[in-house]
Amino acid sequence: MAFVEIRLKDTRARALNDFNRAVQSHPEIEQCHMIAGSFDYMLKVRTTDIAAYRTFLGETLSTLPHVSHSSTHVSMESVKEDRFYD
């Protein structure tokens, strides 16, 4: 599992909509959150291993509409994953 910060080249409504639509078609992207701060989106991505992630990063994430930069944080261990809602 990896958490990926995404920065877009363009953050006007059309670019945001293009990106939002594109992430829907990739099951590896479990979550996508628009973020206020130094980047635009935070993705939760799950692949079978780091080699599969590297392929996904190069062939998919980096080609999503309007992506200018990504930064990956690989989860080494899940310490807590509670959900307080249904």
Side-chain angles (χ1 to χ4, degrees):
M1 179 174 37
F3 297 93
V4 186
E5 299 174 5
I6 298 288
R7 214 175 288 147
L8 301 182
K9 298 176 222 178
D10 182 358
T11 56
R12 290 176 287 185
R14 183 176 176 153
L16 297 175
N17 288 334
D18 290 347
F19 181 83
N20 294 346
R21 272 193 305 279
V23 299
Q24 301 299 321
S25 63
H26 300 286
E28 298 89 348
I29 301 172
E30 292 185 345
Q31 296 180 18
C32 175
H33 302 272
M34 184 182 284
I35 300 295
S38 60
F39 54 96
D40 301 307
Y41 287 91
M42 174 67 77
L43 308 180
K44 180 181 176 185
V45 176
R46 191 177 304 266
T47 58
T48 55
D49 56 31
I50 198 68
Y53 176 75
R54 184 174 180 176
T55 299
F56 183 72
L57 175 64
E59 295 179 3
T60 303
L61 281 182
S62 63
T63 65
L64 291 174
H66 310 287
V67 170
S68 69
H69 177 79
S70 68
S71 181
T72 299
H73 306 274
V74 176
S75 174
M76 295 174 33
E77 178 182 359
S78 177
V79 176
K80 182 176 183 193
E81 287 193 60
D82 289 346
R83 292 181 68 166
F84 62 91
Y85 57 90
D86 291 307

